[in-house]
Amino acid sequence: MFTLERHGVGEVAIIVHVNFPDNHIEELDEFIDLVNSAGVEPASVIQASRQRPDAKFFIGSGKLSEIKQSLIAYDADLVLFNHALSPAQERNIEKELQCRVLDRTGVILDIFAQRARSHEGKLQVELAQLTHISTRLVRGWTHLERQKGGIGLRGPGETQLETDRRLINDRIKQLKKRLQKVHNQRQQSRRSRQRAKIPTVSLVGYTNAGKSSLFNQLSSANVYAENQLFATLDPTLKRIDIDQHFSFVLADTVGFIRSLPHDLVNAFHATLEEVKEADLLLHVVDVSDGDKQLHIDEVDKVIKLVGADIVPQIIIYNKIDLLDKANHSPQNSLVNKHSDVLEIEPKIIYDEFGQASQVMVSALKNIGMELINESIKTFFSTQTRTLTVQLSASMGKLRAKLYQLTSVNSEQVNNNGEMLIEFTCTDEQYQLVNKNADLEELFIET
């Protein structure tokens, strides 16, 4: 057991972390950050080592006694486990310790409840909470064993527990219906963007990698960004015009984390669809983090889980300002598929096909933002072509279609009143414009 320095007044918690042969002790530091993000004061950390969890209490009887003593010593009223507890284990531990007990999922849900600001975010959090709570209704509720009775309360013999479970299930159905409406609205907006041929770029990454700071710099927005886990919960979309010929929609999404509960992934399905339907993912990584490769792998797992693993990625190595040029320690060296060299200057790293694969930046210091825009524009420009057509004065409808469906770079009128239009388009846009017209006959050399 080791203690933590206490900085403030609030809910005081004892943290429990068990080291199993297949888990990483580094997760403890992350869990302490989660607890702090939840506004809880961690007073003490109790660690144990086991081959497997105890079926009844998850931990052994000796550690349970140690937790009891710590609760008294630190006047704590909460015990937080850095693990997923079964409903029975949670109930048994609460009964033994006579205090509230939360597992890792419960802590994450509490943070999400605090961060949700939009209507959609609140619906998603409530759905995840109710799904989690529905398996834990028996926890410490002694009155639930009694059936309802008395004047006006006599019924078919339904217990209070059954009533609560039924009410929760009804509420879950309501939330799913409302979220389906949100999903339909998002689909409409997405179809509008697709019709306008505006590509979507989604920011993804481990929580606290700096996605919101990056979003603010690229879009000149004012999204909430703090150095804490899950500072951003609600998705934000904004159109960005790099120049008069190229625009894209940038989407900021919720951060991922190791052992992200499946209930949360399911509840945030509508939000994560922005990732699945994106044309390009900017995978933001905290380059100063010693566990960055583990975090990259965890994010890739969630991306695959939502069916977005086929979407192209550019890795954005953020926070290069935190790398110490004087101390090239192994834990601070940049690990990537192309180089083992420590990269601390803003730079685009290209793959063997000439595509941008990695970009080194600092969102906080506004260093290298133009490189991100350049890499995005280059990515989409390789999938477009620039053409020039000569239209007669009677081809006004075709001219309007070019302006509607492509990016018109220039237009000139010659002495014969013919219009010379240079435009940039994707293959898909070209097919739409060429649907009722033979553009090839109108091409001219430039």
Side-chain angles (χ1 to χ4, degrees), residues 172-205:
I172 287 175
K173 289 178 182 176
Q174 285 182 348
L175 290 171
K176 286 182 176 179
K177 285 182 180 179
R178 292 187 184 180
L179 284 171
Q180 184 60 42
K181 289 183 180 179
V182 173
H183 166 75
N184 294 339
Q185 290 169 354
R186 284 188 175 278
Q187 286 284 67
Q188 270 190 331
S189 300
R190 202 174 290 121
R191 282 194 291 268
S192 297
R193 295 199 300 269
Q194 289 171 348
R195 281 195 296 269
K197 301 305 172 187
I198 301 176
T200 299
V201 178
S202 282
L203 294 172
V204 298

Side-chain angles (χ1 to χ4, degrees), residues 137-149:
L137 285 179
V138 295
R139 184 176 63 183
W141 291 11
T142 57
H143 70 283
L144 298 183
E145 301 303 323
R146 299 194 299 268
Q147 290 188 348
K148 293 188 295 186

Side-chain angles (χ1 to χ4, degrees), residues 326-373:
N327 297 317
H328 293 179
S329 56
Q331 63 268 27
N332 282 340
S333 62
L334 174 60
V335 179
N336 61 68
K337 299 176 182 177
H338 308 288
S339 173
D340 293 325
V341 179
L342 180 68
E343 300 282 358
I344 52 178
E345 298 297 328
K347 180 182 179 182
I348 299 178
I349 300 173
Y350 295 92
D351 61 18
E352 61 270 27
F353 304 107
Q355 286 278 14
S357 61
Q358 303 167 37
V359 186
M360 312 294 298
V361 302
S362 170
L364 184 65
K365 302 292 184 180
N366 195 18
I367 299 172
M369 295 300 104
E370 71 285 351
L371 299 180
I372 296 179
N373 284 336

Side-chain angles (χ1 to χ4, degrees), residues 203 211-223 236-241 248-252 369 373:
L203 294 172
K211 295 184 300 300
S212 294
S213 297
L214 197 68
F215 183 89
N216 287 338
Q217 292 289 5
L218 291 173
S219 64
S220 302
N222 191 28
V223 170
T236 308
L237 287 83
K238 188 166 183 180
R239 175 171 171 153
I240 297 175
D241 300 312
F248 65 93
V249 172
L250 185 65
D252 188 17
M369 295 300 104
N373 284 336

Side-chain angles (χ1 to χ4, degrees), residues 60-230:
S61 56
K63 287 297 175 183
L64 206 59
S65 299
E66 191 176 335
I67 295 172
K68 278 185 181 179
Q69 295 170 9
S70 294
L71 284 167
I72 297 171
Y74 293 99
D75 194 25
D77 47 13
L78 186 61
V79 175
L80 304 176
F81 277 74
N82 185 21
H83 307 276
L85 301 176
S86 70
Q89 287 170 336
E90 202 168 288
R91 183 176 69 251
N92 292 336
I93 298 169
E94 280 194 341
K95 186 176 181 181
E96 192 72 21
L97 298 178
Q98 293 296 301
C99 73
R100 283 185 301 139
V101 175
L102 285 177
D103 65 358
R104 181 183 175 88
T105 300
V107 173
I108 294 175
L109 283 170
D110 185 80
I111 295 172
F112 274 41
Q114 294 180 46
R115 301 285 190 270
R117 291 176 174 84
S118 70
H119 175 65
E120 177 189 357
K122 290 175 182 177
L123 290 177
Q124 291 175 135
V125 171
E126 186 181 353
L127 176 60
Q129 285 178 321
L130 291 178
T131 304
H132 183 66
I133 290 171
S134 63
T135 61
R136 287 161 162 77
L137 285 179
V138 295
R139 184 176 63 183
W141 291 11
T142 57
H143 70 283
L144 298 183
E145 301 303 323
R146 299 194 299 268
Q147 290 188 348
K148 293 188 295 186
I151 296 175
L153 293 177
R154 294 187 180 91
E158 185 180 56
T159 64
Q160 183 67 47
L161 175 59
E162 290 166 344
T163 301
D164 290 326
R165 183 171 287 124
R166 176 171 51 78
L167 291 173
I168 284 179
N169 288 334
D170 289 344
R171 179 60 178 166
I172 287 175
K173 289 178 182 176
Q174 285 182 348
L175 290 171
K176 286 182 176 179
K177 285 182 180 179
R178 292 187 184 180
L179 284 171
Q180 184 60 42
K181 289 183 180 179
V182 173
H183 166 75
N184 294 339
Q185 290 169 354
R186 284 188 175 278
Q187 286 284 67
Q188 270 190 331
S189 300
R190 202 174 290 121
R191 282 194 291 268
S192 297
R193 295 199 300 269
Q194 289 171 348
R195 281 195 296 269
K197 301 305 172 187
I198 301 176
T200 299
V201 178
S202 282
L203 294 172
V204 298
Y206 209 76
T207 181
N208 204 30
K211 295 184 300 300
S212 294
S213 297
L214 197 68
F215 183 89
N216 287 338
Q217 292 289 5
L218 291 173
S219 64
S220 302
N222 191 28
V223 170
Y224 179 69
E226 283 294 333
N227 185 28
Q228 57 183 205
L229 301 182
F230 297 118

Side-chain angles (χ1 to χ4, degrees), residues 243-246 377 384-389 402-403 406-412 420-425 446:
D243 53 42
Q244 60 178 335
H245 306 310
F246 180 72
K377 186 174 180 180
T384 62
R385 47 181 166 165
T386 299
L387 304 167
T388 301
V389 293
L402 287 172
Y403 272 90
T406 73
S407 296
V408 174
N409 303 327
S410 64
E411 179 180 0
Q412 297 176 345
L420 304 180
I421 300 177
E422 181 188 275
F423 62 95
T424 300
C425 65
T446 57

Side-chain angles (χ1 to χ4, degrees), residues 15-44:
I15 294 176
V16 181
H17 178 83
V18 182
N19 294 310
F20 296 107
D22 59 344
N23 73 349
H24 300 277
I25 194 168
E26 291 86 355
E27 289 185 358
L28 176 57
D29 294 332
E30 181 178 85
F31 187 65
I32 292 173
D33 288 340
L34 277 172
V35 172
N36 286 321
S37 295
V40 176
E41 184 182 341
S44 175

